[in-house]
Amino acid sequence: MKPAPTKPAISIAVVNQVDARVGTIESVSDVEGSNKLVRLRVDFGDHKRTILAGMKQEREDPTEIEGRQALFIVNLEPRKMMGEVSEGMLFDVGYEDDLQPALLTPERQVPNGTRAG
């Protein structure tokens, strides 16, 4: 498989605006009426958030990621989807390249809320 083309260059100032942090996925549940979205309850150490992720069709059992640490973007504006508010974005890899998605995870356990970068 050939990788997708690289996106246009951005400045380091733009990269520095992104707040990516590690959180532990405490629970995964269905978003009623959606054939795509699941609701993640994520612990970031000093607070918890609800983050909606479009992984229902990507995984046979989305609850398999419960208890796992993953990387999230936490400074996106809240977004309403299917009547619910998502307070961030899960970072995963593969889906855009037609591969089975995989979580971006730290190589070892780190405190929830640890920043990437």
Side-chain angles (χ1 to χ4, degrees), residues 30-37 39 56 82 84:
D30 265 353
V31 172
E32 192 172 321
S34 176
N35 62 353
K36 185 175 170 183
L37 295 173
R39 179 186 314 100
K56 196 181 283 186
M82 298 298 296
E84 298 195 29

Side-chain angles (χ1 to χ4, degrees), residues 1-5 97:
M1 183 193 112
K2 185 177 178 180
D97 293 314

Side-chain angles (χ1 to χ4, degrees), residues 20-23 44 71 110-116:
R21 296 184 184 242
V22 172
F44 289 101
L71 193 61
V110 297
N112 289 331
T114 299
R115 292 179 290 166

Side-chain angles (χ1 to χ4, degrees), residues 59-77:
R59 295 174 181 269
E60 192 171 315
D61 179 11
T63 63
E64 71 188 4
I65 64 171
E66 288 180 347
R68 303 274 312 271
Q69 284 193 314
L71 193 61
F72 297 85
I73 303 298
V74 297
N75 65 330
L76 289 176
E77 292 181 359

Side-chain angles (χ1 to χ4, degrees), residues 42-100:
V42 184
D43 181 355
F44 289 101
D46 62 344
H47 69 285
K48 296 180 183 186
R49 292 185 182 204
T50 298
I51 295 178
L52 303 181
M55 66 169 48
K56 196 181 283 186
Q57 296 175 347
E58 298 172 2
R59 295 174 181 269
E60 192 171 315
D61 179 11
T63 63
E64 71 188 4
I65 64 171
E66 288 180 347
R68 303 274 312 271
Q69 284 193 314
L71 193 61
F72 297 85
I73 303 298
V74 297
N75 65 330
L76 289 176
E77 292 181 359
R79 182 173 172 202
K80 195 167 191 174
M81 298 182 278
M82 298 298 296
E84 298 195 29
V85 176
S86 182
E87 303 171 291
M89 183 179 86
L90 171 67
F91 244 165
D92 63 359
V93 296
Y95 182 75
E96 292 295 322
D97 293 314
D98 295 324
L99 300 171
Q100 182 178 4

